[in-house]
Amino acid sequence: MEQAKAFLEECLDIDALLGDAGSLDLSRPTGFKAWSIETILRHLHFWNQMALWALENTDQLQQTLVPVMEGLTRGDSLTQVEGQIVLAEGDVLLSDWRETYQQLAQSYSQADPSQRCPWVGPSMSARSCITARQMETWAHGQAIYDELGKVRSNTDRIHNIVILGINTFGWTFKVRGEAAPEKMPYVELTAPSGVLWKFGEDDSVSAIRGTAEEFSQVVTQTRHVEDTELSYTGEDAKRWLYNAQCFAGGPNPPPTPGSRFMRVS
């Protein structure tokens, strides 16, 4: 699957970033909910392992979900639950993350894209599952790039994240208990390669234009729309961009304007 290759390349980029950092302090907090770099790596590693089991060992997946749900039910945070299950820290955690993402990419590259994979909520196709892992890796990776003051060089593999953002237009409203507009705004985005990606009907009275990178940042909630150069017309486009959420779970507010940015060394 192309999506498995894209996931692997996403991980390799972050791997190189961490490697270039040398004696990096993994405990340093990032702009994402003050999660440390280590907390982000633990989160990615945990759900990469879960995705691997969703494909290859559903019994182990279901068994591991039991303490996760028990912890969340008693009021523990997601990071607390993950820390109770993934005990590795520092270089050991980094090594485990590296080993697991490579196994995950390899397994999904050989999988039937339509295979159903059980998950916390509804099951997903293998293609959707590995695309979600790319999206989450890209989104959380942005916090690491920002904290280290590094400019990210995106490629057209970001198309997978853009598509996820487009496909979850209705979800943005549904998760908030609102009725979605009948028609999705027209979306026109410039890819990293310079190619123009178009979605929807271009005669729409509501439209969004800008770069694929900034659109992806908004739908993954790594930037507030006011901190981008995306342009929009129409109330439906505004409502979407100000609440966009391409990931599962309960309604999550976007970062406040000015709160997510690249640190300048």
Side-chain angles (χ1 to χ4, degrees), residues 30-203:
T30 69
F32 176 70
K33 301 181 179 179
W35 283 18
S36 68
I37 296 174
E38 182 173 83
T39 300
I40 289 174
L41 288 175
R42 180 176 292 108
H43 177 72
L44 292 176
H45 169 60
F46 178 81
W47 292 104
N48 285 349
Q49 181 64 72
M50 297 291 274
L52 185 60
W53 286 335
L55 188 70
E56 299 181 344
N57 191 338
T58 57
D59 288 343
Q60 184 62 58
L61 171 71
Q62 298 299 340
Q63 181 180 332
T64 307
L65 279 176
V66 172
V68 171
M69 302 312 296
E70 287 177 346
L72 295 176
T73 299
R74 66 173 173 260
D76 292 346
S77 69
L78 182 59
T79 55
Q80 286 176 319
V81 171
E82 292 166 352
Q84 292 161 6
I85 298 173
V86 180
L87 302 180
E89 300 177 338
D91 291 343
V92 175
L93 174 62
L94 186 58
S95 178
D96 289 348
W97 167 71
R98 285 170 170 155
E99 180 179 354
T100 301
Y101 81 63
Q102 292 171 17
Q103 291 175 350
L104 184 62
Q106 177 65 23
S107 293
Y108 274 80
S109 69
Q110 300 172 349
D112 177 352
S114 64
Q115 176 180 334
R116 302 307 297 179
C117 296
W119 203 240
V120 179
S123 67
M124 297 186 288
S125 68
R127 178 185 282 112
S128 294
C129 191
I130 196 64
T131 300
R133 299 314 308 142
Q134 180 197 354
M135 178 275 294
E136 191 166 19
T137 300
W138 185 87
H140 285 298
Q142 187 63 58
I144 301 176
Y145 276 93
D146 290 343
E147 176 59 27
L148 299 182
K150 301 294 184 181
V151 177
R152 187 179 218 156
S153 296
N154 283 295
T155 71
D156 281 10
R157 68 172 178 265
I158 204 174
H159 186 262
N160 294 325
I161 301 172
V162 169
I163 292 296
L164 192 57
I166 294 294
N167 289 345
T168 52
F169 165 70
W171 168 250
T172 289
F173 300 93
K174 180 179 179 180
V175 74
R176 289 168 175 76
E178 303 174 9
E182 293 184 3
K183 187 176 182 181
M184 187 190 80
Y186 172 65
V187 180
E188 186 176 283
L189 304 171
T190 303
S193 66
V195 173
L196 205 59
W197 293 335
K198 302 177 181 180
F199 308 91
E201 301 176 22
D202 60 10
D203 62 347

Side-chain angles (χ1 to χ4, degrees), residues 202-223:
D202 60 10
D203 62 347
S204 174
V205 296
S206 191
I208 297 169
R209 292 179 172 85
T211 66
E213 177 180 13
E214 290 193 326
F215 177 81
S216 297
Q217 288 176 336
V218 170
V219 298
T220 60
Q221 297 189 346
T222 66
R223 291 289 189 275

